[in-house]
Amino acid sequence: MDLNEKKESTLSNLLFLIAYTIVLFISSLSTTLYAHIIPAVYVSSILVLGVSILFCKFVFADKHSFLEYIIYFLIGIILLASMIESGNKQLIVITMFMLMSKDVKSRPLMKIYLSISILVLLFSYFSTKMGWIMDLTYTRNMIERHSYGIVYPTDFAAHIFYICCAYVFLRFKKFNLLDMLFLLTIALLVYRQTDARLNFGMILLLIVVGFLGKKGKLGFVNAIAWLVPILSFLFTYMASKFYNPVSYAFNLLDKLFSGRLGIVQGILEQNGVKIFGQKIIEHGWGGSGFYLNTNIYKYSYIDSAFMRLLIIYGVLACLLFLLIISLLLWKNKNIKTVLIVILVLLSGIVEQHFIDISYNPFFILLASEYFNKKGLLQ
């Protein structure tokens, strides 16, 4: 790399990290109850600023062939149509950052993610203690579940899970018993305060994966990693599509999914799937849903990220996104990245956060590692 190329690479990385910091901060803040206080026009303006900087990086700092620009344009058309039809911008935002992550360094990316995420969570927590926003508290089986200023307890726990994943990524080569005890303590504390069983289990699995991965016991996973998004999607779709409440096996599976299979099946039967997606009216208990009359409004929310991709964003966007993730996993041989992305994908069977940039930096990391070694068409 000559001096000019090095300068361009440094500028590209800098512009990306600035754009990412802006978008991550405002997106993370939007997962708190401040989303109901800050005017939407301010949130949109800050988001546009971050995306504009990202486009400046893509146009002026990166180099692409004419064919690559055509491919990016076609992908953009599909995602833009999906955004318009669904009324939801999460997928197009995270995909833009993935596809424009050329020359981005992994450790600065992870450190920015950790810093912003922890800062927002601490600010949210102290805001509830100061009375600026509410700590929405729910009860399940006589257990109080705190959200600490985030819209729902499981969303707070999901933030912690993704933060723990970033911690393991940065500590991977030095991961030791103290790290394991630290993460176990966090998992137990979060479980005690939120009763979020999935994220508790995912952090425990993360500890095991971090330990075995550092020991070199999981190298075989590289060869099959690309199948995980496809198989996870097929499993989630088939389980939801063919759920039968009188089946013992399906009932057991539905309990593991906290009753989500029947809910998603009902939404799927009522709305079907569309090529470019659709607007779905959902009723969750988080945020403003805290005040809904549960005698009138039944819980109706698509928690699974895979089913959200299909039902909300549409067939084309869903297949495109799964293809991109599978391709990136097939090409990536960095075991720590691959292992964490697999955990993120597995969590997406049950919850929705992996398509939200405010939670998940690892798809961007996966893409950047690919682009730093290859061009789009290599």
Side-chain angles (χ1 to χ4, degrees), residues 8 11 15 55-63 69:
E8 288 174 356
L11 176 62
L15 289 174
F55 269 100
C56 287
K57 170 225 187 289
F58 177 74
V59 174
F60 300 112
D62 295 342
K63 292 181 179 179
Y69 279 120

Side-chain angles (χ1 to χ4, degrees), residues 36-271:
H36 304 297
I37 298 174
I38 303 172
V41 64
Y42 293 165
V43 174
S44 297
S45 298
I46 295 171
L47 188 64
V48 168
L49 172 63
V51 171
S52 298
I53 295 172
L54 181 68
F55 269 100
C56 287
K57 170 225 187 289
F58 177 74
V59 174
F60 300 112
D62 295 342
K63 292 181 179 179
H64 300 283
S65 69
F66 178 75
L67 183 56
E68 285 174 336
Y69 279 120
I70 295 296
I71 293 173
Y72 278 122
F73 177 76
L74 294 175
I75 292 173
I77 290 295
I78 294 172
L79 294 176
L80 186 61
S82 174
M83 184 189 74
I84 293 170
E85 290 298 313
S86 66
N88 197 313
K89 58 183 176 293
Q90 284 184 349
L91 182 61
I92 194 172
V93 169
I94 195 170
T95 307
M96 281 193 301
F97 274 88
M98 288 169 59
L99 296 178
M100 299 182 189
S101 61
K102 183 179 180 182
D103 294 324
V104 175
K105 305 297 185 292
S106 61
R107 291 188 72 83
L109 177 69
M110 284 297 104
K111 288 179 179 179
I112 287 174
Y113 167 76
L114 267 180
S115 300
I116 297 294
S117 296
I118 292 173
L119 176 65
V120 169
L121 284 192
L122 288 175
F123 177 63
S124 175
Y125 173 80
F126 284 113
S127 292
T128 64
K129 299 305 177 183
M130 297 298 294
W132 299 337
I133 58 176
M134 286 183 63
D135 172 17
L136 299 181
T137 305
Y138 303 76
T139 303
R140 180 169 66 189
N141 298 327
M142 305 300 292
I143 299 172
E144 281 195 347
R145 310 176 67 205
H146 295 271
S147 55
Y148 295 120
I150 305 300
V151 295
Y152 197 67
T154 52
D155 294 290
F156 178 84
H159 271 299
I160 300 296
F161 165 63
Y162 280 95
I163 287 171
C164 289
C165 287
Y167 176 84
V168 171
F169 178 87
L170 292 172
R171 290 282 303 166
F172 193 80
K173 290 183 179 179
K174 298 179 180 179
F175 195 71
N176 56 36
L177 180 60
L178 288 177
D179 295 312
M180 296 171 70
L181 291 174
F182 174 62
L183 292 179
L184 179 59
T185 302
I186 289 176
L188 290 170
L189 286 173
V190 171
Y191 182 63
R192 173 66 184 83
Q193 297 301 315
T194 66
D195 194 36
R197 294 165 293 191
L198 171 70
N199 290 291
F200 173 68
M202 293 306 299
I203 295 174
L204 295 184
L205 186 57
L206 174 66
I207 294 170
V208 175
V209 166
F211 175 75
L212 294 178
K214 184 211 173 183
K215 297 290 184 182
K217 305 294 185 181
L218 299 176
F220 68 92
V221 173
N222 268 327
I224 58 174
W226 66 276
L227 289 170
V228 174
I230 299 169
L231 295 179
S232 297
F233 169 77
L234 290 175
F235 169 77
T236 311
Y237 175 77
M238 299 295 281
S240 301
K241 176 72 174 178
F242 297 105
Y243 167 70
N244 183 352
V246 301
S247 165
Y248 174 78
F250 271 117
N251 259 318
L252 182 61
L253 188 62
D254 194 40
K255 287 180 181 178
L256 292 174
F257 279 56
S258 300
R260 290 174 171 91
L261 291 181
I263 293 170
V264 174
Q265 184 185 67
I267 295 173
L268 189 60
E269 289 177 349
Q270 181 179 350
N271 298 279

